[in-house]
Each structure stands twice: as structure tokens, then as C-alpha cells.
Amino acid sequence: MSTAEQNHRLPWKAAAAPAPKSRVRMKKWRFHLSDRLLGWIIPLGILVVWEILARLAVLPPNWLPAPTVIARTIYEMGATGDLWKHVGVTITRVAVGFLVGATAGTLLGGLTGYFSVARKLFDPLLQSLRSVPSIAWVPLFLLWLGIQESSKIALISLGALFPVYLNLSVAMRHVDPKLLEVGKLYRLSSFEMVRRIIFPAVLPQYIVGLRSGLGLAWMFVVAAELLGASSGIGYLMIDGQMTGRAAIILGSVLLFAICGKTTDWMMNAAGTRLLGHRAR
Amino acid sequence: MSRSDLSIDEVRKNQSTSREPPRKCGALDIVISRKMFAGVEGPLTVLRDISLTVQPGEFVCIVGGSGCGKTTFLRILAGLETEYEGCVRLDEQQIAGPDLNRGVVFQEHRLLPWLTVRDNVAFGLSRASSPERSGKVQHYLDLVGLRSFEREYPDRLSGGMSQRVAIARALAGCPEVLLLDEPFASLDALTRIRMQEELLRIWQAEQTTVVLVTHDIEEAVYLADRIVVMSPQPGTIRNLLPVDLPRPRERTSTEFSGIRRAVLDELLAHTVV
């Protein structure tokens, strides 16, 4: 019997067999698309209404300028090169502060997680320092380090330190003792134990600590720049406030959001890569 | 002819053509006069007056109820417990700590979740050269029938498969003695029977000495050359029962039931409820 004949005799097989698969795929795809679209409806709607109200001068332009005005302000600043200078300064501060804070957090977390004596020595102090609101440190840092870069870096570092410290220290204390025993069984040295068992075991939570440390670094850079800076995105905000230009303030908020989201995304991508199959 | 129909000698002859040279299997000479633990209400004697000799290539099962110290006993053989009165020797050498000459399989598979099956089996072989290492890994994954899973991660494996990888890992260091602590306790009944058959096949192929701790009497009678019956408070050896049944053993035969009955009677006689 030829296949054509078979197809003829079993028409539903010939025609319908491949169809359900593609239909399911279609449906799935459409579902995903509509999900994403749904998420955009409200923000886009707000933007449109906002734009219309601003154009109709219902909203006072010096308080809440139209989205297009904000976009144009950012664009113009970008064109003169001013914007890149401020964004660059802020990103550098976050990067240096985060690096210093995360390094200190890693050292302290590793030390207290590995040696219980170090934990008993340092943990109570660090825990009580952690509960001090960050802004409370500003006057002291200004007094000690002046209004130059170092006081800002110190504040950002302090913000990044605690989540890294806490996550790493706790994760190290909770490494499954049964897996540690496997290392003991194969007579790993202390260094090998850390490299081959402890480090991979704490990696997921360590990455969580780094991500929230980075998030706090962005929060603290805003605080640092609002409280005395001559450059940076935070300075732009103060400048906008002083000169009564709401468009600059809103534009700066947008810039902070974009920068923070981008670095978090980068950190997340790096973490996913490091974790391999465990990130699934 | 299926594999399990072969006699031990035939299997061993077949295995000699494999890449792995026949290993040296160890003899254990165990004397534990007392092992204490720090309890809530003062020190607690866990093991007392234990004396046992295990022949090279012998398969010994330790049977006892919960709290009879059988796991502690195995941990001493593994070198994970070193504080006790007595002396445990493997081929005249006193056991002072863990070593590759003893492979250990726990009740949980204890595979490292961030390593593939292959890397888990190779975990203890970091001192070996790369070709030697991959040769061994292939050999032992073949032996446990998981060659095709070498690139998978442990979270993709079933309980029985994970435990087979754990056995391959323990064997990869070419131990003289294989120590197993209730290795099949968390598996379902059917998988457990399959794994017992697997373990016998592996033991016959690898010619190591095996000490297996279990609370499952049938498992002990099915596997062991000799059954060590332990009783609790403090843990000590009650009796040594040889199992002189030819392998593969028929679980429903009268002889099998007879030995099972004898072990059970021995256990019940010393159980305080």
C-alpha cells in the first residue's frame, strides 16, 4: 500500500497529525506574548495620560513635565557630554565602593563562617553595627574623611559589606556536614575542603549576598551624592531641585533605575553562569 | 545464561580479562573494648567488648535494631571515629583515620550536587593522572551500569541510581574493604532487591571484602557469608551466624527462611521494649 493511499484512507492522520504540535506551540507563544503585553499596558497607559495631561497644561510643567520633555532633557544633556560625565562618576563610585565592601564582606564572612572563634569575636559587633541606619554614618564619615570621594566610597562600601558578610557567614555555617564528611573520607586538606566542597556549597547564597550588596551600593550612592557632591547622578537631582527643573530630577530617577537594573542584570547573568545547572 | 547464574569462580575468571588488575582484598581484625559518647546525662557506652575478624574477600552483614551502635561500629572501621578503647587493623595496619583503602557508602548517597556523575565518581582520584582517572571512572560506571549517565547531575537520578553512583565512587579508590551503612534503607522494596543483586554482582566482580550494616534481616541473609547479630545498650555482638547457602539465593526457600528465623530469634531475644 502506498503512503498516498494510506493518507487517503486515514485522512485525519495525514492532515491532523502535525497540526496539534504546532498549534500548541502557537498557543504557548501567544500566551507568553500576551503576558508580556499585559505588563506593559498600565505603564504605557500612565505615560500616555501623563503626556496628554501635561500637554493640556492640566499638570503644572514645572512640577511634572511631560515624558517627552524629560526624554528631551536627558537627550540634550547626553549630546553635550555632561550626562556621561555624571553617570560615569556615579558608576565609578558604585563600582569601587562595591568592590571594597564586597571584598571586606567576603573576608569577614569567610573568616567567621570557617572559624567559630572568629564568629564569636566578630559577629555580635557586626550584627549591632548592621542595625545602625546607614545615613547615621554620614556626619562621621564627612568629619573623618572630608567631602571628597573617600567618604562616599566608605559609605557605599559599608552598605555593600553587610549583605555579603551575612549571607556568606551563614551559608558557610550551614554547609551539609554529611558532605564535609565525604571530604574527610577522601582526606582533603583544609584548602581543598574549602575549594572543592565549602565554596561550591555556599556559592548560591554568596551570589544572593553579592546581588543584594550591589543593590544596597546603589541605594547608598544616592544618599552619598544627595548629601554633598559636585558631580554624579545624585548631584544632578540636587541641581535640578535648586534650579527648579523637575525634568532633570525625574530624568535622574530614570537614570538610577536604568543603571541599577543593568548592573543587577549583569550580576545575575554572571551568577547564573557560575552556578551552571544549579541556576535552573 | 544470565550473569547471576554464573558461579563466583566463573565470574572472577571472566573479570580477569577486564582492564582492572585483580585487587588486593583486605582482612579486618577488630577489637573494640569500649566506645563512649558524651550523652546529655553523662557519658554513654555505645559499644562494648566487640571482637571480630573478617576474612579477605568475605561478605559480612551486621544486623541489629536501632541504637545498637552498628553505624558507630562501621564509622570506626571507616576511620571517621578514632576515639575508642581497642584496636582495629586492616592487614596488620592499625586504622588511624580515613583512607582510600576503605570505600564507604552511606544511607544517603552524599553525591556532590554541583558535580556531574563522572566527576563525583572521580572525586577521590585527584592524585591520579588524567588518563588513569578517566579509565577508572569509565570502568566503574560500566560496572554499575550508568555509563550513559556520566554527564548528568545527581538531581536527575533516581534513588537507586544515585546509590549506584555512590558505590562507584567508593570503589574508584580501589579499596581493599567496602563499607556500607544501610545503603538501601531509603529505597523502595523492588529497587532494594535489584540493588542487592547488583551489589552481589559487583562484589563478585571486584573481589573486595564487604562489611554491610543493615536492620533488614532478609537483606543480610540474601547477601552475607556471615551475619553478625548485635544487641543494644551497650552495643555488642550477640552471635555470628554463617550463611552456607549457594548464590544466587532463593528468598522463598526453606533454608533461607530457617536462617532468617534464627537471626530474628536472636534479635528478639535481646530486644528490650
Side-chain angles (χ1 to χ4, degrees), chain B residues 46-48 50 62-70 228-239 266-272:
Chain B
V46 191
L47 294 173
R48 182 151 203 174
I50 286 181
I62 318 257
V63 185
S66 51
C68 74
K70 54 191 194 293
V228 177
V229 181
M230 285 183 73
S231 69
Q233 291 169 357
T236 192
I237 295 176
R238 276 298 150 198
N239 209 346
E266 197 66 49
L267 279 171
L268 288 175
H270 302 286
T271 305
V272 197

Side-chain angles (χ1 to χ4, degrees), chain A residues 45-204:
Chain A
I46 290 175
L47 276 181
V48 169
V49 173
W50 177 359
E51 183 75 34
I52 292 169
L53 290 181
R55 293 254 168 133
L56 294 175
V58 179
L59 299 168
N62 53 337
W63 284 7
L64 198 58
T68 47
V69 176
I70 297 171
R72 201 188 316 130
T73 312
I74 295 180
Y75 176 78
E76 279 164 6
M77 282 168 68
T80 61
D82 241 18
L83 180 76
W84 307 119
K85 190 191 92 189
H86 291 296
V87 170
V89 164
T90 298
I91 288 179
T92 309
R93 282 177 186 147
V94 170
V96 175
F98 173 71
L99 224 60
V100 172
T103 307
T106 304
L107 287 176
L108 282 169
L111 214 63
T112 54
Y114 194 81
F115 301 103
S116 59
V117 180
R119 189 178 81 242
K120 284 167 194 158
L121 277 172
F122 289 109
D123 198 54
L125 174 71
L126 286 166
Q127 292 292 352
S128 46
L129 284 180
R130 193 169 73 94
S131 50
V132 176
S134 56
I135 308 298
W137 296 108
V138 171
L140 199 63
F141 283 174
L142 286 177
L143 180 68
W144 285 349
L145 302 166
I147 54 162
Q148 299 306 307
E149 288 305 299
S150 41
S151 61
K152 296 183 189 66
I153 301 290
L155 190 67
I156 297 163
S157 304
L158 197 71
L161 184 146
F162 287 111
V164 177
Y165 161 75
L166 208 69
N167 277 286
L168 183 58
S169 183
V170 169
M172 281 186 73
R173 256 176 286 155
H174 290 98
V175 174
D176 187 352
K178 288 177 173 170
L179 294 185
L180 293 177
E181 209 166 72
V182 172
K184 217 173 137 193
L185 220 45
Y186 288 97
R187 302 207 301 181
L188 300 188
S189 64
S190 307
F191 173 73
E192 287 280 281
M193 198 76 135
V194 170
R195 188 178 71 85
R196 299 181 65 188
I197 295 187
I198 298 176
F199 179 70
V202 302
L203 193 59

Side-chain angles (χ1 to χ4, degrees), chain B residues 217-235:
Chain B
I217 301 169
E218 187 188 298
E219 181 167 281
V221 179
Y222 184 77
L223 293 172
D225 289 325
R226 206 148 51 110
I227 296 176
V228 177
V229 181
M230 285 183 73
S231 69
Q233 291 169 357

Side-chain angles (χ1 to χ4, degrees), chain B:
Chain B
M1 196 197 278
S2 83
R3 210 150 178 179
S4 55
D5 292 334
L6 294 167
S7 76
I8 297 173
D9 288 339
E10 279 171 307
V11 172
R12 286 186 176 172
K13 206 162 45 189
N14 290 350
Q15 282 296 320
S16 64
T17 57
S18 140
R19 271 167 298 158
E20 289 292 310
R23 71 173 77 237
K24 191 166 154 270
C25 48
L28 285 165
D29 197 359
I30 306 157
V31 177
I32 303 167
S33 42
R34 194 206 282 267
K35 163 73 187 167
M36 310 277 280
F37 269 145
V40 186
E41 295 157 16
L44 203 71
T45 307
V46 191
L47 294 173
R48 182 151 203 174
D49 300 331
I50 286 181
S51 169
L52 179 70
T53 310
V54 181
Q55 301 302 321
E58 196 180 9
F59 198 130
V60 169
C61 281
I62 318 257
V63 185
S66 51
C68 74
K70 54 191 194 293
T71 291
T72 310
F73 178 76
L74 201 80
R75 288 174 63 85
I76 290 177
L77 301 191
L80 290 169
E81 303 280 347
T82 48
E83 309 239 320
Y84 62 93
E85 291 168 32
C87 181
V88 178
R89 283 179 303 185
L90 171 60
D91 296 333
E92 311 299 317
Q93 288 275 319
Q94 187 170 350
I95 291 173
D99 198 313
L100 284 186
N101 64 15
R102 277 154 287 137
V104 183
V105 178
F106 298 96
Q107 182 174 340
E108 327 81 25
H109 57 73
R110 299 204 190 180
L111 300 176
L112 302 174
W114 51 85
L115 296 181
T116 58
V117 164
R118 183 174 39 183
D119 292 340
N120 264 296
V121 175
F123 188 76
L125 304 174
S126 47
R127 287 171 196 91
S129 68
S130 164
E132 188 192 344
R133 188 163 57 227
S134 57
K136 276 190 172 169
V137 171
Q138 303 296 359
H139 173 81
Y140 289 107
L141 281 178
D142 275 339
L143 186 71
V144 299
L146 287 175
R147 176 78 169 270
S148 53
F149 288 86
E150 59 177 358
R151 282 166 208 277
E152 292 290 347
Y153 286 92
D155 59 0
R156 293 290 184 97
L157 305 181
S158 67
M161 285 157 86
S162 304
Q163 210 53 310
R164 279 193 277 168
V165 177
I167 292 172
R169 177 175 68 181
L171 287 171
C174 293
E176 293 168 36
V177 180
L178 186 61
L179 305 168
L180 304 108
D181 184 10
E182 306 207 23
F184 312 136
S186 54
L187 304 176
D188 65 88
L190 204 63
T191 312
R192 193 180 309 142
I193 288 174
R194 286 263 165 270
M195 289 296 291
Q196 288 163 0
E197 289 165 357
E198 282 276 285
L199 181 63
L200 270 189
R201 184 177 63 73
I202 290 164
W203 168 63
Q204 288 163 352
E206 291 296 311
Q207 311 172 35
T208 83
T209 309
V210 176
V211 178
L212 183 143
V213 158
T214 184
H215 59 253
D216 182 345
I217 301 169
E218 187 188 298
E219 181 167 281
V221 179
Y222 184 77
L223 293 172
D225 289 325
R226 206 148 51 110
I227 296 176
V228 177
V229 181
M230 285 183 73
S231 69
Q233 291 169 357
T236 192
I237 295 176
R238 276 298 150 198
N239 209 346
L240 298 168
L241 298 163
V243 186
D244 292 325
L245 301 176
R247 295 191 178 92
R249 291 171 182 161
E250 192 54 57
R251 290 170 201 264
T252 47
S253 72
T254 344
E255 295 92 335
F256 193 97
S257 312
I259 297 173
R260 198 165 67 176
R261 185 75 234 173
V263 176
L264 184 61
D265 286 344
E266 197 66 49
L267 279 171
L268 288 175
H270 302 286
T271 305
V272 197
V273 180

